[in-house]
Amino acid sequence: MATQTQPMSQGGCAASGRDHAPIIVPLLNPIVRRLMRVGVPLGPNALLSVRGRKTGQLRTTPIAVVEIGGRRWVQSPYGEVNWVRNLRASGEGILTMGRRQEPVTAVSLTPEQTAAFFQDVLGPYIRRIPLGTLLIGMLGAREILTDPVGAAKRHPVFELHPRVADVEATDTSAV
């Protein structure tokens, strides 16, 4: 299950003290969700569905999944936004890639682990992608490349694992 941390106000909305995505993101997310639901591939993006911490309703958000060496991570370029708070509260979700759905558990990285992830995994990954550095800058998260330790305080990262109960159920039904 994901660990709990205090919400961060760095870079957030002054009135609420919460982080938020740029205004264009809520406008584009419904379009991106629809495209992805019908199977249109959009790079490393997937849909993450998580139960709302207050309503219990399933909330679906497009996110970028970093997959390297059989391990998968998601990070928030906009800080402690709603999908992050929901994932922290539930510790699990459903990852949809194309037409394939996979139940996952999420483990929140500590700030030290996050800084190492930014420096050793995400930074080199972004630099290999054509226009990756430009894109991360447009997302407002250039500090991931320039100041991994500082960025770790403002950009949560979760490692995703297949949900154990679902994997065991699949394994026993195959016998």
Side-chain angles (χ1 to χ4, degrees), residues 3-111:
T3 58
Q4 297 290 322
T5 63
Q6 294 297 318
M8 298 177 205
S9 61
Q10 184 76 15
C13 177
S16 68
R18 295 189 174 190
D19 290 340
H20 64 282
I23 191 69
I24 191 75
V25 172
L27 298 174
L28 290 178
N29 273 355
I31 297 165
V32 172
R33 271 195 305 271
R34 284 185 186 100
L35 289 171
M36 293 180 76
R37 279 192 177 130
V38 297
V40 175
L42 296 174
N45 294 308
L47 296 174
L48 179 64
S49 300
V50 180
R51 295 247 170 242
R53 64 197 179 285
K54 295 178 183 176
T55 66
Q57 293 180 350
L58 209 55
R59 306 290 185 183
T60 300
T61 304
I63 56 163
V65 178
V66 176
E67 185 168 356
I68 298 174
R71 297 174 70 184
R72 293 180 297 182
W73 299 269
V74 294
Q75 70 91 23
S76 173
Y78 310 120
E80 295 279 331
V81 292
N82 280 326
W83 75 261
V84 170
R85 290 190 288 272
N86 290 339
L87 191 56
R88 283 193 198 287
S90 72
E92 62 186 25
I94 300 169
L95 193 63
T96 304
M97 297 160 289
R99 297 194 184 268
R100 185 174 65 99
Q101 291 188 339
E102 178 185 359
V104 294
T105 58
V107 177
S108 180
L109 274 57
T110 66

